[in-house]
């Protein structure tokens, strides 16, 4: 449970850091991927992980090429989900974009049930349902943001798919690859996302400012460890438990911290969502 808690705290930290920044998000993301890649390189060097590409038959089901391939795919989906999150915010509003991004956890949950038969207990099913309900309650503002069917059919759907598959690839790594190669996997995840985001910045000729680089460097640390601890959590609990708790828990932390440090007022539905989230986490654990 400690790994899930740490992953959730790291995930919430990313959102809170973005909250205090008005810098260009492509630049922030690029620098964040640089720092996350550097952390991965540090772990590779200190643990000598690069020397584990030659496996004995009893060491792993799948070799290093698979780890690299999955890492690259995950990095691509990470960046795609970010791009479509930005597009969804512009077209459909921040609330709906956030909700569809969070609900992407349904994909790894469904795949884990179908492929690996990771069935939740009755209490955990109740917790999962409450977690999803809390996510929807926090992010829906029907009086402020109205969405047409045309908007929903494209960007929000792709955000849901890309975000969900990004999380699913973390599960695939945890399921089949040796844990000693986790820094290598994360290096290719964040390294790929960095190269793609850097390319976008060059193509769009986006101005790089010091503030954006500083915020990006700060984001890079919790971003790396969010994935690091999430993979660890998946080793001890099923994906159907980890992903909804991870998502709902990060929302809870963001709401509480925003209330305490940023003075944000909570609507009645947000207060109810907080209580529902606490209950869902209790049932899921």
């Amino acid at each position: 449970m400690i790994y899930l808690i740490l992953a959730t705290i790291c995930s919430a930290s990313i959102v809170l850091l973005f909250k205090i920044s008005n810098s260009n998000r492509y630049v922030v993301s690029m620098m964040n991927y640089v720092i996350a890649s550097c952390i991965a390189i540090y772990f590779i060097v200190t643990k000598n992980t690069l020397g584990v590409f030659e496996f004995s038959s009893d060491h792993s089901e799948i070799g290093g090429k698979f780890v690299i391939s999955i890492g690259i795919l995950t990095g691509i989906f990470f960046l795609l989900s970010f791009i479509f999150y930005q597009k969804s915010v512009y077209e459909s509003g921040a609330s709906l974009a956030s909700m569809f991004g969070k609900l992407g956890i349904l994909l790894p949950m469904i795949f884990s049930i179908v492929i690996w038969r990771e069935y939740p207990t009755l209490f955990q099913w109740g917790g999962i349902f409450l977690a999803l309900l809390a996510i929807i309650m926090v992010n829906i503002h029907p009086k402020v943001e109205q969405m047409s069917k045309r908007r929903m059919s494209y960007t929000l759907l792709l955000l849901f798919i890309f975000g969900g598959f990004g999380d699913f690839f973390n599960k695939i790594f945890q399921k089949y690859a040796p844990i000693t190669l986790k820094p290598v996997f994360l290096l290719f995840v964040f390294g790929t996302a960095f190269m793609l985001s850097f390319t976008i910045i060059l193509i769009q000729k986006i101005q790089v400012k010091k503030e954006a680089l500083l915020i990006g460097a700060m984001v890079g640390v919790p971003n790396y460890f969010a994935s690091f601890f999430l993979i660890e959590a998946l080793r001890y609990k099923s994906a159907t438990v980890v992903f909804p708790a991870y998502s709902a828990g990060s929302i809870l932390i963001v709401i509480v911290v925003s209330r305490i440090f940023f003075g944000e007022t909570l609507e009645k539905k947000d207060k109810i969502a907080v209580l529902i989230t606490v209950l869902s986490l209790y049932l899921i654990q």
Side-chain angles (χ1 to χ4, degrees), residues 10 14 18 38 64 79 90 94 131 182 207 218 232 237 252 257:
C10 289
I14 297 169
F18 272 118
C38 289
L79 189 64
Y90 174 76
K182 181 166 58 176
Q207 185 179 4
M218 295 170 64
E232 285 294 322
K237 289 186 177 292
L252 175 62
V257 173

Side-chain angles (χ1 to χ4, degrees), residues 104-120 124-125 128 164-176 230-231 233-244:
I105 61 171
L106 290 172
L107 289 181
M109 287 170 58
I110 292 170
F111 287 140
S112 295
I113 291 173
V114 173
I115 298 173
W116 298 297
R117 302 292 191 270
E118 294 184 354
Y119 298 113
Q124 288 172 341
W125 272 120
I128 291 168
F165 271 101
D167 289 330
F168 179 59
F169 286 133
N170 279 326
K171 174 63 179 178
I172 289 179
F173 171 82
Q174 176 272 320
K175 194 70 179 179
Y176 296 112
L230 181 63
I231 292 172
L234 288 167
R235 294 177 62 196
Y236 299 100
K237 289 186 177 292
S238 68
T240 52
V241 170
V242 169
F243 286 115

Side-chain angles (χ1 to χ4, degrees), residues 6 10 50 91 119 141 182 184 192-193 217 263:
L6 291 172
C10 289
L50 283 176
E91 293 184 358
Y119 298 113
H141 299 277
K182 181 166 58 176
V184 175
T192 300

Side-chain angles (χ1 to χ4, degrees), residues 38-243:
C38 289
I39 296 174
I41 291 172
Y42 169 79
F43 280 111
I44 288 171
V45 172
T46 57
K47 299 294 184 180
N48 195 26
T49 312
L50 283 176
V52 197
F53 277 140
E54 296 296 332
F55 298 104
S56 61
S57 58
D58 61 340
H59 186 71
S60 172
E61 298 177 26
I62 297 177
K65 290 182 179 179
F66 173 82
V67 172
I68 293 173
S69 299
I70 289 295
I72 292 173
L73 280 173
T74 307
I76 293 172
F77 276 97
F78 268 27
L79 189 64
L80 284 174
S81 65
F82 169 77
I83 291 173
F84 278 93
Y85 175 78
Q86 295 291 313
K87 190 173 177 63
S88 297
V89 168
Y90 174 76
E91 293 184 358
S92 304
S95 295
L96 286 172
S98 179
M99 185 186 75
F100 272 77
K102 293 294 185 183
L103 289 179
I105 61 171
L106 290 172
L107 289 181
M109 287 170 58
I110 292 170
F111 287 140
S112 295
I113 291 173
V114 173
I115 298 173
W116 298 297
R117 302 292 191 270
E118 294 184 354
Y119 298 113
T121 65
L122 182 60
F123 283 110
Q124 288 172 341
W125 272 120
I128 291 168
F129 172 78
L130 290 175
L132 295 176
L133 177 62
I135 291 170
I136 294 172
M137 287 185 64
V138 166
N139 290 289
I140 279 291
H141 299 277
K143 293 182 180 180
V144 178
E145 295 172 301
Q146 297 295 330
M147 179 189 65
S148 68
K149 293 181 179 179
R150 181 178 299 177
R151 285 176 177 170
M152 177 179 176
S153 64
Y154 172 51
T155 54
L156 290 171
L157 179 60
L158 289 176
L159 170 62
F160 171 81
I161 293 173
F162 291 141
F165 271 101
D167 289 330
F168 179 59
F169 286 133
N170 279 326
K171 174 63 179 178
I172 289 179
F173 171 82
Q174 176 272 320
K175 194 70 179 179
Y176 296 112
I179 198 63
T180 52
L181 281 184
K182 181 166 58 176
V184 175
F185 168 72
L186 293 176
L187 173 61
F188 280 92
V189 170
F190 295 117
T192 300
F194 158 69
M195 289 187 288
L196 292 175
S197 58
F198 181 68
T199 302
I200 291 173
I201 289 173
L202 288 179
I203 293 174
Q204 296 188 0
K205 297 180 180 179
I206 297 173
Q207 185 179 4
V208 178
K209 296 183 179 180
K210 291 182 179 180
E211 179 191 355
L213 294 176
L214 177 61
I215 294 294
M218 295 170 64
V219 171
V221 177
N223 195 15
Y224 176 88
F225 285 103
S227 294
F228 184 94
F229 290 126
L230 181 63
I231 292 172
E232 285 294 322
L234 288 167
R235 294 177 62 196
Y236 299 100
K237 289 186 177 292
S238 68
T240 52
V241 170
V242 169
F243 286 115

Side-chain angles (χ1 to χ4, degrees), residues 246-264:
Y246 174 70
S247 185
S250 64
I251 289 175
L252 175 62
I253 293 173
V254 170
I255 288 175
V256 172
V257 173
S258 296
R259 177 68 181 91
I260 295 173
F261 292 99
F262 299 111
E264 293 187 0

